[in-house]
Amino acid sequence: MMAEERRTAQPDETEAALALIRAVRRRVRAISDGESCDFCGETLGPEHGHVLGLLDRRLRCACRACYLLFLPRGAGRGRFCAVPQRYRAVRDSTLVQEWTGVICGPVQLAFAFLHSGTGRITVCYPSPQGLAESFLPDGVPIVSALRSLLQPDVEALLCWRRAVGAVTFLVPIDVCYELVARLRLPSNRTDLDALLEEFFDRLHSRCEE
């Protein structure tokens, strides 16, 4: 049996499909106070996908249909990209050692992603005070490994460097921004270790075997 042929939707096709989805759902969607798709207005459940705006770096909530439209790289005239749902514990000791070695000073928590706009590896340090950013120089050995490991913009290498050893995961970028938001909640600042333990345990449970 011949393999099914796959084709990336062209920009005009993507826009037309989105317009059709909006038109249909405007007629059938009941008024709801719940969260809705940022592209077509469909009411969303608690578990839904996200689409990243590559120009403004803003995450949009998306229904399944709109999420799939932006899944191919370059869809939406290259302005948006669906955030994949790949979770993986990183067990490569050399990669983990190199990654934890570039995490600055007393900072124990960091994530890195490949920024397609700059072509550089961006390193982010979340904390209750906010988010600090820096860049890895191209000469750092781990840069080439990260370029081959991560999907640009939408995946990150997240690490928590603990006294008993570092834990490192490859995660969707929206997971990192969720962690940033949770760290900034005043109610979570009293016991950050407990928050991080719960958060990283949840990541581990979602990892591919």
Side-chain angles (χ1 to χ4, degrees), residues 38-201:
D38 287 321
F39 297 96
C40 72
E42 171 75 353
T43 300
L44 300 174
E47 295 293 330
H48 57 265
H50 291 105
V51 173
L52 180 70
L54 298 182
L55 297 180
D56 60 11
R57 309 295 306 170
R58 187 166 70 86
L59 287 167
R60 276 87 168 170
C61 296
C63 67
R64 187 61 179 171
C66 291
Y67 176 86
L68 292 175
L69 282 174
F70 292 112
L71 195 57
R73 194 80 186 186
R77 299 182 181 177
R79 295 174 298 171
F80 301 101
C81 186
V83 178
Q85 294 298 303
R86 183 168 63 143
Y87 293 79
R88 198 174 83 195
V90 178
R91 296 186 173 89
D92 184 325
S93 58
T94 300
L95 179 61
V96 172
Q97 184 176 5
E98 289 180 352
W99 171 221
T100 55
V102 302
I103 298 178
C104 298
V107 178
Q108 304 298 307
L109 189 67
F111 63 91
F113 67 93
L114 174 57
H115 193 305
S116 63
T118 64
R120 304 179 70 181
I121 299 295
T122 300
V123 182
C124 301
Y125 301 97
S127 74
Q129 289 71 44
L131 186 68
E133 292 187 356
S134 64
F135 299 95
L136 288 183
D138 287 338
V140 175
I142 195 175
V143 168
S144 60
L146 291 178
R147 288 184 185 278
S148 61
L149 177 68
L150 302 172
Q151 293 189 45
D153 303 301
V154 291
E155 287 189 326
L157 195 66
L158 173 63
C159 179
W160 179 24
R161 190 174 64 187
R162 307 170 300 174
V164 295
V167 285
T168 304
F169 292 91
L170 184 154
V171 296
I173 195 70
D174 54 1
V175 168
C176 298
Y177 293 129
E178 176 193 348
L179 178 57
V180 171
R182 292 182 63 177
L183 286 172
R184 298 197 69 180
L185 289 174
S187 59
N188 288 331
R189 296 179 184 178
T190 55
D191 194 348
L192 290 180
D193 284 345
L195 167 64
L196 293 174
E197 286 284 0
E198 181 273 332
F199 192 87
F200 278 81
D201 283 347

Side-chain angles (χ1 to χ4, degrees), residues 17-39:
L18 281 173
L20 178 61
I21 291 171
R22 292 190 193 103
V24 172
R25 286 180 173 168
R26 273 196 298 266
R27 294 185 179 184
V28 302
R29 181 170 58 93
I31 297 175
S32 172
D33 293 330
E35 197 167 16
S36 59
C37 175
D38 287 321
F39 297 96

